Amino acid sequence: MIPPPNVTGSLHMGHAFQDTIMDTLTRWKRMQGNNTLWQVGTDHAGIATQMLVERKIAAEEGKTRHDLGRDAFIDKVWEWKAESGGHITRQLRRMGASVDWSRERFTMDDGFYKAVQEVFVRLHEEKLIYRGKRLVNWDPTLHTAISDLEVENKEQQGSFWHFRYPLADGVKTADGKDYVVVATTRPETLLGDTGVAVNPEDARYASLVGKFIELPLVGRRIPVVADEHADMEKGSGCVKITPAHDFNDYEVGKRQNHLLINVFSKDATILEKPKSSILKASPSPTKMPACLPSTPN
């Protein structure tokens, strides 16, 4: 099986290199009298293709996919596939790849994607795969999740914002304060906090573990938990936990059985009414008692 190239452009040197190796091995086995098949195909690369087509119609027509409507936009995507996918297969032919062109496939072919769906359903029924709540990289423009490979990480000069989180029920710190100070670079996620973590070795806050805090602005009671994620040497040693909006906090939330409280809309604006759901540690696929249904937020 040739790893299907995405229909988002042209083949590059990496494709040529790996295809040459596969072609050599296939021809060698064929010369030895083996019944060989080097399967050829292309991949729809849905998100990347959508992004390219959106840019194309914006540049040529000054329109968005919403201006075109679903059916017309899908037609544009298929036009792009015919143009780009055809270019890729022409490149393979020029390279002399000894694939079986009569068996050429596309990942959106009826038989192809139905076979993939069948496999996923079978694995699910056999409890070898399961659904669960996960954090994703969300694109607020395309309104879709994207992979880690499609994320551009850029360093920015940010700021530390310091907040006083008032302790509930008359509890005070070892030095007599009725609050703890939490520093964060993401003040907008405060609305989704489910706890404040302190290091289990930090004597300053040992008496607060298991006690509660009244979350500023919201007034929701959230617990003080002991977790090694909190760095005693960083800031005040207290760290806010927002499992729905930070990958490290997500892991802390699983360990502490916290809720997931999503405070952002699909457009990355603050929700008027946040969405919450139970966050549980992920079951092991080999010891899974049951599949975990979920609806992505």
Side-chain angles (χ1 to χ4, degrees):
M1 177 68 68
I2 186 173
N6 297 339
V7 289
T8 51
S10 304
L11 298 184
H12 51 65
M13 287 299 293
H15 290 116
F17 176 68
Q18 69 174 5
D19 290 354
T20 299
I21 294 174
M22 285 186 282
D23 199 7
T24 301
L25 292 171
T26 303
R27 289 174 183 269
W28 177 45
K29 287 296 181 182
R30 188 180 295 128
M31 291 169 67
Q32 290 178 325
N34 291 289
N35 185 19
T36 63
L37 169 63
W38 189 20
Q39 175 69 49
V40 64
T42 49
D43 183 25
H44 62 282
I47 298 169
T49 300
Q50 176 183 329
M51 181 174 62
L52 286 173
V53 175
E54 286 201 57
R55 288 176 180 172
K56 189 171 185 290
I57 61 175
E60 295 177 355
E61 305 177 28
K63 296 181 178 180
T64 68
R65 72 177 190 274
H66 302 292
D67 295 328
L68 293 180
R70 180 181 178 86
D71 293 338
F73 180 72
I74 290 176
D75 289 340
K76 293 285 187 182
V77 173
W78 280 109
E79 289 175 12
W80 168 261
K81 184 266 175 184
E83 176 186 334
S84 181
H87 178 62
I88 287 171
T89 54
R90 285 193 296 273
Q91 286 182 294
L92 282 171
R93 291 177 188 274
R94 288 179 63 191
M95 285 172 54
S98 63
V99 298
D100 185 347
W101 288 105
S102 69
R103 294 173 179 256
E104 183 181 353
R105 302 304 299 273
F106 177 55
T107 48
M108 291 296 286
D109 290 347
D110 285 343
F112 195 100
Y113 75 77
K114 286 181 180 177
V116 173
Q117 291 175 336
E118 173 69 20
V119 170
F120 269 86
V121 170
R122 285 186 184 182
L123 291 173
H124 186 270
E125 290 174 345
E126 294 171 11
K127 296 183 171 53
L128 294 175
I129 59 174
Y130 58 92
R131 293 183 69 186
K133 292 288 183 180
R134 295 291 185 278
L135 290 197
V136 296
N137 303 304
W138 181 257
D139 188 322
T141 300
L142 296 179
H143 292 166
T144 187
I146 58 177
S147 75
D148 291 346
L149 296 176
E150 294 168 304
V151 174
E152 286 188 36
N153 292 299
K154 296 181 179 179
E155 290 190 5
Q156 290 183 291
Q157 184 62 46
S159 301
F160 252 147
W161 301 80
H162 294 78
F163 293 92
R164 289 184 179 182
Y165 279 41
L167 293 164
D169 306 320
V171 173
K172 294 188 177 182
T173 62
D175 56 357
K177 294 185 175 65
D178 60 357
Y179 62 86
V180 294
V181 174
V182 173
T184 179
T185 59
R186 297 283 307 281
E188 72 279 10
T189 64
L190 178 151
L191 302 173
D193 285 359
T194 60
V196 169
V198 298
N199 193 287
E201 304 296 324
D202 197 334
R204 295 173 297 176
Y205 305 112
S207 63
L208 300 183
V209 176
K211 302 299 191 293
F212 288 87
I213 281 171
E214 290 185 7
L215 184 61
L217 301 179
V218 181
R220 186 172 64 249
R221 286 165 61 93
I222 59 176
V224 179
V225 299
D227 196 280
E228 293 181 353
H229 172 61
D231 187 346
M232 291 188 291
E233 307 299 324
K234 189 174 182 179
S236 66
C238 299
V239 60
K240 63 194 287 298
I241 304 301
T242 317
H245 300 297
D246 181 90
F247 287 100
N248 290 322
D249 290 5
Y250 177 81
E251 296 300 324
V252 176
K254 284 199 297 186
R255 291 194 291 269
Q256 302 292 340
N257 293 317
H258 282 192
L259 288 174
L260 271 174
I261 301 178
N262 175 35
V263 301
F264 292 117
S265 72
K266 64 181 181 180
D267 300 310
T269 57
I270 300 295
L271 288 169
E272 182 177 347
K273 186 177 181 180
K275 300 177 182 179
S276 64
S277 56
I278 297 173
L279 177 58
K280 295 182 179 180
S282 300
S284 167
T286 57
K287 298 181 179 179
M288 185 180 62
C291 297
L292 300 179
S294 66
T295 302
N297 289 328

